[in-house]
Coordinates of all heavy atoms in Angstrom, one line a residue:
Chain A
L179 N 99.9 -27.5 -56.3 CA 99.8 -28.3 -55.1 C 100.4 -27.4 -54.0 O 99.9 -27.4 -52.9 CB 100.7 -29.6 -55.3 CG 100.2 -30.6 -56.0 CD1 101.1 -31.8 -56.2 CD2 98.9 -31.2 -55.3
F180 N 101.4 -26.6 -54.3 CA 101.8 -25.6 -53.3 C 100.7 -24.6 -52.8 O 100.4 -24.5 -51.7 CB 103.0 -24.8 -53.7 CG 103.4 -23.7 -52.7 CD1 104.2 -24.1 -51.6 CD2 103.1 -22.5 -52.9 CE1 104.6 -23.0 -50.7 CE2 103.4 -21.5 -52.1 CZ 104.1 -21.8 -50.8
R181 N 100.0 -24.0 -53.8 CA 99.0 -23.0 -53.5 C 97.9 -23.8 -52.8 O 97.2 -23.1 -51.9 CB 98.5 -22.5 -54.9 CG 99.4 -21.6 -55.4 CD 98.7 -20.7 -56.5 NE 99.7 -19.8 -57.3 CZ 99.3 -19.0 -58.2 NH1 98.0 -18.7 -58.3 NH2 100.2 -18.4 -58.9
A182 N 97.6 -25.0 -53.0 CA 96.5 -25.7 -52.4 C 96.9 -26.3 -51.0 O 96.0 -26.7 -50.2 CB 95.9 -26.8 -53.2
G183 N 98.2 -26.1 -50.7 CA 98.8 -26.5 -49.5 C 98.8 -28.2 -49.3 O 98.4 -28.6 -48.2
L184 N 98.9 -28.8 -50.5 CA 98.7 -30.3 -50.5 C 100.0 -31.0 -50.6 O 100.9 -30.6 -51.6 CB 97.7 -30.7 -51.5 CG 96.2 -30.1 -51.2 CD1 95.3 -30.4 -52.5 CD2 95.6 -30.8 -50.0
P185 N 100.3 -32.1 -49.9 CA 101.6 -32.7 -50.1 C 101.5 -33.6 -51.4 O 100.6 -34.4 -51.6 CB 101.7 -33.7 -48.9 CG 100.3 -33.7 -48.3 CD 99.4 -32.6 -49.0
P186 N 102.5 -33.4 -52.3 CA 102.5 -34.2 -53.5 C 102.5 -35.7 -53.3 O 102.2 -36.4 -54.3 CB 104.0 -33.9 -54.0 CG 104.5 -32.7 -53.3 CD 103.8 -32.6 -52.0
G187 N 102.9 -36.2 -52.2 CA 102.9 -37.6 -52.1 C 101.7 -38.2 -51.4 O 101.5 -39.5 -51.2
A188 N 100.7 -37.4 -51.1 CA 99.5 -37.8 -50.4 C 98.7 -38.8 -51.3 O 98.7 -38.5 -52.6 CB 98.7 -36.7 -50.0
E189 N 97.9 -39.6 -50.7 CA 97.0 -40.5 -51.6 C 96.1 -39.7 -52.2 O 95.3 -39.0 -51.5 CB 96.5 -41.6 -50.7 CG 97.1 -42.8 -50.8 CD 96.3 -43.9 -50.0 OE1 95.0 -43.9 -50.1 OE2 97.0 -44.8 -49.5
S190 N 95.8 -39.9 -53.5 CA 94.9 -39.2 -54.2 C 93.4 -39.4 -53.8 O 92.5 -38.5 -53.7 CB 94.9 -39.4 -55.8 OG 96.1 -39.3 -56.3
G191 N 93.2 -40.7 -53.4 CA 91.9 -41.1 -52.9 C 91.4 -40.2 -51.8 O 90.2 -40.1 -51.6
S192 N 92.3 -39.8 -51.0 CA 91.9 -38.9 -49.9 C 91.1 -37.7 -50.2 O 90.2 -37.2 -49.4 CB 93.1 -38.3 -49.1 OG 94.2 -39.3 -49.0
L193 N 91.1 -37.3 -51.5 CA 90.4 -36.1 -51.9 C 88.8 -36.4 -51.9 O 88.1 -35.5 -52.0 CB 90.8 -35.8 -53.3 CG 92.2 -35.2 -53.6 CD1 92.6 -34.9 -55.0 CD2 92.4 -33.9 -52.6
S194 N 88.5 -37.7 -52.0 CA 87.1 -38.0 -52.0 C 86.6 -38.5 -50.6 O 85.6 -39.1 -50.6 CB 86.9 -39.0 -53.2 OG 87.5 -40.3 -52.8
I195 N 87.4 -38.3 -49.6 CA 87.0 -38.7 -48.3 C 86.8 -37.7 -47.3 O 87.6 -36.8 -47.0 CB 88.1 -39.7 -47.7 CG1 88.3 -41.0 -48.6 CG2 87.6 -40.1 -46.3 CD1 89.3 -41.8 -48.3
G196 N 85.6 -37.5 -46.8 CA 85.3 -36.6 -45.8 C 85.3 -35.1 -46.0 O 85.4 -34.7 -47.2
K197 N 85.1 -34.3 -45.1 CA 85.1 -32.9 -45.3 C 86.4 -32.3 -45.6 O 86.5 -31.4 -46.4 CB 84.6 -32.2 -44.0 CG 83.0 -32.0 -43.8 CD 82.8 -31.0 -42.7 CE 81.8 -31.6 -41.8 NZ 81.7 -30.8 -40.5
K198 N 87.4 -33.0 -45.0 CA 88.9 -32.5 -45.3 C 89.1 -32.7 -46.8 O 89.7 -32.0 -47.4 CB 89.8 -33.1 -44.5 CG 89.8 -32.6 -43.1 CD 91.0 -32.9 -42.3 CE 90.9 -32.2 -40.8 NZ 92.0 -32.7 -39.9
G199 N 88.8 -33.9 -47.3 CA 89.0 -34.3 -48.7 C 88.2 -33.3 -49.6 O 88.8 -32.9 -50.6
A200 N 86.9 -33.0 -49.2 CA 86.2 -32.1 -50.1 C 86.8 -30.7 -50.1 O 86.9 -30.1 -51.1 CB 84.8 -32.1 -49.6
A201 N 87.2 -30.2 -48.9 CA 87.9 -29.0 -48.9 C 89.1 -28.9 -49.7 O 89.5 -28.0 -50.4 CB 88.2 -28.6 -47.5
A202 N 89.9 -30.0 -49.5 CA 91.2 -30.0 -50.3 C 90.8 -30.2 -51.9 O 91.6 -29.4 -52.6 CB 91.9 -31.5 -50.0
A203 N 89.9 -31.0 -52.3 CA 89.5 -30.9 -53.7 C 89.2 -29.5 -54.2 O 89.5 -29.1 -55.4 CB 88.3 -31.9 -54.0
E204 N 88.5 -28.8 -53.3 CA 88.0 -27.4 -53.6 C 89.3 -26.5 -53.9 O 89.4 -25.7 -54.9 CB 87.2 -27.0 -52.4 CG 86.6 -25.5 -52.7 CD 85.2 -25.7 -53.1 OE1 84.4 -26.6 -52.7 OE2 84.8 -24.8 -54.1
R205 N 90.3 -26.6 -52.9 CA 91.4 -25.7 -53.0 C 92.3 -26.2 -54.2 O 92.8 -25.3 -54.8 CB 92.2 -26.0 -51.7 CG 91.6 -25.5 -50.4 CD 92.8 -25.2 -49.4 NE 93.7 -26.3 -49.1 CZ 93.3 -27.3 -48.4 NH1 92.2 -27.3 -47.7 NH2 94.1 -28.4 -48.2
L206 N 92.3 -27.4 -54.5 CA 93.1 -27.9 -55.6 C 92.6 -27.3 -56.9 O 93.3 -26.8 -57.7 CB 93.1 -29.4 -55.6 CG 94.0 -30.1 -56.5 CD1 95.4 -29.6 -56.6 CD2 93.9 -31.6 -56.4
C207 N 91.3 -27.4 -57.0 CA 90.6 -27.0 -58.1 C 90.9 -25.5 -58.4 O 91.3 -25.0 -59.5 CB 89.0 -27.2 -58.1 SG 88.2 -27.8 -59.4
A208 N 90.7 -24.7 -57.3 CA 91.0 -23.3 -57.4 C 92.4 -23.0 -57.8 O 92.6 -22.0 -58.4 CB 90.4 -22.7 -56.1
S209 N 93.3 -23.8 -57.1 CA 94.7 -23.5 -57.4 C 95.2 -23.7 -58.7 O 95.9 -23.0 -59.2 CB 95.6 -24.4 -56.3 OG 95.3 -24.1 -55.0
I210 N 94.6 -24.9 -59.3 CA 95.0 -25.2 -60.7 C 94.6 -24.0 -61.6 O 95.3 -23.6 -62.4 CB 94.2 -26.4 -61.1 CG1 94.8 -27.7 -60.5 CG2 94.3 -26.7 -62.7 CD1 94.1 -29.0 -60.5
E211 N 93.3 -23.7 -61.4 CA 92.8 -22.5 -62.2 C 93.6 -21.2 -62.0 O 94.1 -20.6 -63.0 CB 91.4 -22.1 -61.8 CG 90.3 -22.8 -62.6 CD 88.9 -22.4 -62.1 OE1 88.7 -21.2 -62.0 OE2 88.1 -23.3 -61.8
G212 N 93.9 -20.9 -60.8 CA 94.7 -19.7 -60.4 C 96.2 -19.7 -61.1 O 96.5 -18.8 -61.7
V213 N 96.7 -20.9 -60.9 CA 98.1 -20.9 -61.4 C 98.2 -20.7 -63.0 O 98.9 -20.0 -63.5 CB 98.7 -22.3 -61.1 CG1 100.0 -22.5 -61.9 CG2 99.1 -22.3 -59.6
L214 N 97.2 -21.5 -63.6 CA 97.2 -21.3 -65.0 C 96.7 -19.9 -65.4 O 97.5 -19.4 -66.5 CB 96.2 -22.4 -65.6 CG 96.6 -23.9 -65.5 CD1 95.6 -24.7 -66.1 CD2 98.0 -24.1 -66.0
E215 N 95.9 -19.4 -64.8 CA 95.5 -17.9 -65.3 C 96.7 -17.0 -65.0 O 96.8 -16.2 -65.9 CB 94.2 -17.5 -64.5 CG 93.0 -18.1 -65.1 CD 91.7 -18.0 -64.2 OE1 91.9 -17.4 -63.1 OE2 90.6 -18.6 -64.5
D216 N 97.3 -17.2 -63.9 CA 98.4 -16.3 -63.7 C 99.6 -16.5 -64.7 O 100.3 -15.6 -65.2 CB 99.0 -16.5 -62.2 CG 98.0 -15.9 -61.2 OD1 97.1 -15.3 -61.4 OD2 98.2 -16.3 -60.0

Side-chain angles (χ1 to χ4, degrees):
Chain A
L179 286 172
F180 174 81
R181 288 196 190 190
L184 296 172
E189 258 190 34
S190 309
S192 321
L193 293 175
S194 62
I195 300 173
K197 265 197 237 173
K198 287 198 173 170
E204 184 97 37
R205 292 203 306 280
L206 185 54
C207 227
S209 298
I210 291 169
E211 272 182 43
V213 164
L214 293 181
E215 280 166 5
D216 289 352

